[in-house]
Structures are given as structure tokens and as C-alpha cells.
Amino acid sequence: MTEYLKQKRIWADSLALAGNPYPEKHLISNVLSGLDAEYLFIVVQIESREHTTWQKLQNILLGFDGRLERLNAFLNNNKQVNSPTANFAQRPSGSNNMNPSGAFCRSNTNQTNN
């Protein structure tokens, strides 16, 4: 996000140096329209404000971006911890004394009827 904002500011400053200043209001609109869908929530909030300065926009977006990165890191870490796994244990060949879960069970031939 920092690099994105810096590029937009440099672009606006270059226009101003060329004699065609780009109004802050248009710069802010340009920045917001270039953001991905994951920023939609914050874009709607910023656009609903009466007036947002360039400095305020940077503060809001950088704060939101930091929270978004922490959330994504948490979710990615949580997926790795909770990802389903399967363990497979092979029965020893010729052994019929195990049930499907791998636990040993008593053979019917060894049991006596009462």
C-alpha cells in the first residue's frame, strides 16, 4: 500500500510540475478507484465522508492495510494448523486380529460360550 500511495503522489506531483496540477480531490478518487475488492469496505467509508485530505487518506488506508495483512496472516496460519490430515496404518500381513480402526480385537475362536 505504501508503494501504491507513493506512486500516485509522484504521478500527481509530476503533473503539477508539468503545469497541469491534479486536484487533491481527484487524486483521492483515483487512488480509491484503483483498489482491489478487499478494500471495498474502507472505500465506501472514505467516499461517504464530506471531505478527506491526502494525509487522512494515507493514514486510513495504511491502517486498514496493516489490519488486513494481520488478518490474512492469522487466517493462513490457522488454516495450516487446522488443515485436515489422514493417517494410514497398514495391517501386518496375515493378521486378522485387528479391527478397521487398527485396534487389536479378540478372535471369536478363542471365546467360549456360557
Side-chain angles (χ1 to χ4, degrees), residues 57-111:
L57 176 73
Q58 290 180 91
N59 291 340
I60 292 169
L61 289 178
L62 291 172
F64 183 80
D65 191 59
R67 286 195 246 359
L68 196 58
E69 285 178 5
R70 286 190 301 274
L71 176 63
N72 287 334
F74 173 77
L75 292 175
N76 288 335
N77 188 33
N78 207 18
K79 282 181 188 175
Q80 291 172 357
V81 171
N82 294 327
S83 62
T85 58
N87 294 322
F88 177 75
Q90 190 173 5
R91 256 197 258 190
S93 60
S95 172
N96 290 330
N97 292 356
M98 297 177 83
N99 67 19
S101 70
F104 284 102
C105 58
R106 294 191 315 191
S107 171
N108 288 340
T109 58
N110 294 338
Q111 294 177 357

Side-chain angles (χ1 to χ4, degrees), residues 33-75:
S33 67
L35 295 174
D36 292 335
E38 63 188 352
Y39 292 91
L40 181 61
F41 174 76
I42 200 71
V43 167
V44 169
Q45 284 190 350
I46 293 168
E47 288 179 340
S48 69
R49 293 170 172 252
E50 184 73 25
H51 177 70
T52 302
T53 65
W54 174 249
Q55 187 61 48
K56 185 68 174 170
L57 176 73
Q58 290 180 91
N59 291 340
I60 292 169
L61 289 178
L62 291 172
F64 183 80
D65 191 59
R67 286 195 246 359
L68 196 58
E69 285 178 5
R70 286 190 301 274
L71 176 63
N72 287 334
F74 173 77
L75 292 175

